[in-house]
Amino acid sequence: MKIAEIFYSIQGEGSLAGVPSVFIRTSGCNLRCRWCDTPYTSWNPEGREMSIAEIAESARSFGANHAVVTGGEPMLFEETVELTRALDMHITIETAGTVYRSLKCDLMSMSPKLANSTPEGAFQAQHERLRFQPEVLKKLMRQYDYQLKFVVSAPDDLDEITRILDEISAERSRVLLMPEGSDAETIRSRAQWIADICKREGFRYSPRLHIDLWGNRRGV
Ligand code: SF4
């Protein structure tokens, strides 16, 4: 399968933020978020074909206890099922939750994309049609331990988040709000009002530690 990068770092987001983890980044995505922070897996997918054995061996070489299978959209690919079976570690799958697969997964980290992600131009219609798949989200929630991460760029994003949570009947304690932004200054500028929403609504605030620590760079 096509892999954009494999690297060892600290999980920057969500309930496992701070945990040393090996990241396996598949290449290719069915969405085209306008603020995508990994355009080399979506708008211009890069990488090289690797066998499952090669990917697993590379992941194991770091000696980590946690693996994060991310993208792009890792659930697009049938090979991801076999890949998760080959990894003898705690596995987080990072997905937008638009495609269902049955695989080995300890934490299904779903990040449904809000209207703030929709680009203008050729991909607008496809993105808008695919970005919210309530039946897929509900099926993933039933099958896996899960978290729901929303990328937030304005206070009124809360209206859409509330509608989504009502539609999929998600537990609020599993919801994390994360500032949209690819630099520490933008993230800081949004942190305060997002934290206030979390306090009021019973959500969790998610940092983006990797950006605080290393900036918006590949492989960190
Ligand atoms: S779903 Fe993720 S990888 Fe795909 S375009 Fe959106 S942010 Fe980028």
Side-chain angles (χ1 to χ4, degrees), residues 106-179:
D106 299 288
L107 176 63
M108 188 60 71
S109 180
M110 298 179 283
S111 183
K113 297 302 182 276
L114 303 177
N116 68 30
S117 67
T118 303
E120 291 178 355
F123 280 104
Q124 183 175 16
Q126 174 182 318
H127 183 93
E128 204 45 34
R129 179 169 47 84
L130 294 179
R131 69 179 172 83
F132 177 48
Q133 299 295 325
E135 294 311 315
V136 174
L137 292 169
K138 285 195 268 190
K139 203 167 171 185
L140 293 171
M141 287 162 54
R142 279 196 299 273
Q143 185 164 344
Y144 302 101
D145 191 11
Y146 74 89
Q147 65 185 11
L148 281 161
K149 274 186 317 186
F150 290 97
V151 178
V152 178
S153 59
D156 58 11
D157 288 341
L158 180 62
D159 296 342
E160 189 179 2
I161 293 170
T162 304
R163 279 198 304 277
I164 289 174
L165 297 182
D166 288 346
E167 187 165 349
I168 63 175
S169 304
E171 293 170 33
R172 291 197 157 219
S173 60
R174 292 177 184 259
V175 175
L176 298 104
L177 304 191
M178 196 166 71

Side-chain angles (χ1 to χ4, degrees), residues 29 31-33 35-38 41-43 71-73 96 113 127:
C29 189
L31 302 184
R32 293 291 185 277
C33 300
W35 39 251
C36 180
D37 56 0
T38 56
T41 65
S42 55
W43 290 91
E73 177 49 79
K113 297 302 182 276
H127 183 93

Side-chain angles (χ1 to χ4, degrees), residues 38-88:
T38 56
Y40 52 93
T41 65
S42 55
W43 290 91
N44 299 294
E46 299 172 8
R48 73 177 178 93
E49 288 296 323
M50 294 177 74
S51 70
I52 300 298
E54 197 183 354
I55 299 166
E57 189 185 333
S58 171
R60 271 195 296 271
S61 70
F62 297 101
N65 294 320
H66 283 71
V68 181
V69 180
T70 186
E73 177 49 79
M75 298 289 264
L76 278 183
F77 311 107
E78 177 63 32
E79 298 100 311
T80 302
V81 176
E82 194 189 337
L83 172 61
T84 59
R85 292 196 186 119
L87 296 172
D88 189 18

